[in-house]
Amino acid sequence: RMDLEESGGGSEQAGGSLKLSCAATGYGGSSYCMAWFRQTPGKGREGVASINDENISKYIDSVKGRFTISRDNDRHILYLQMDNLKPEDTGIYYCAAGGWTRWCPEKDEDWYDYWGRGTQVTVSS
């Protein structure tokens, strides 16, 4: 079993930056995929980015060049650096963890077994 807890959400103006963190506890290894998903107003939950323990990452097109996913395997923490924020980035951001693969899926919710409770990100224009 793994527990995930997000932090770092908040309110920011368009063009600003926020950094999200996700602490993973209850699992001693690091050989698993991790990802960030978000639920935006009027939409279902969508994948944002994914990463494996070798730091191979994937992003959805709308955040490429603006968001950076990273992880500290020793401390079991996942990060999402969000720069040049846009109002459409507003939503609840969830951390997720699932089985290992070289190219962790950034959009497939079903791949991920463990989820955090989410942290709110609000971007104003």
Side-chain angles (χ1 to χ4, degrees), residues 6-20:
E6 304 93 341
S7 60
S11 297
E12 185 58 73
Q13 290 190 326
S17 298
L18 284 172
K19 186 173 184 177
L20 306 183

Side-chain angles (χ1 to χ4, degrees), residues 34-107:
M34 297 197 79
W36 289 99
F37 286 76
R38 66 185 180 188
Q39 184 146 11
T40 55
K43 290 185 179 181
R45 191 155 57 185
E46 66 171 351
V48 175
S50 62
I51 189 169
N52 72 5
D53 61 332
E54 298 173 353
N55 291 314
I56 296 173
S57 57
K58 296 174 69 179
Y59 299 87
I60 59 172
D61 288 344
S62 62
V63 306
K64 283 180 181 176
R66 300 189 298 120
F67 290 10
T68 304
I69 189 171
S70 62
R71 60 191 282 178
D72 183 329
N73 291 325
D74 292 333
R75 298 173 64 199
H76 305 288
I77 301 176
L78 177 71
Y79 301 101
L80 186 67
Q81 176 68 44
M82 304 186 293
D83 298 319
N84 192 19
L85 283 162
K86 301 179 179 181
E88 52 263 42
D89 295 321
T90 294
I92 302 172
Y93 283 69
Y94 298 91
C95 169
W100 189 92
T101 184
R102 183 166 181 79
W103 297 101
C104 298
E106 76 279 26
K107 298 180 183 179

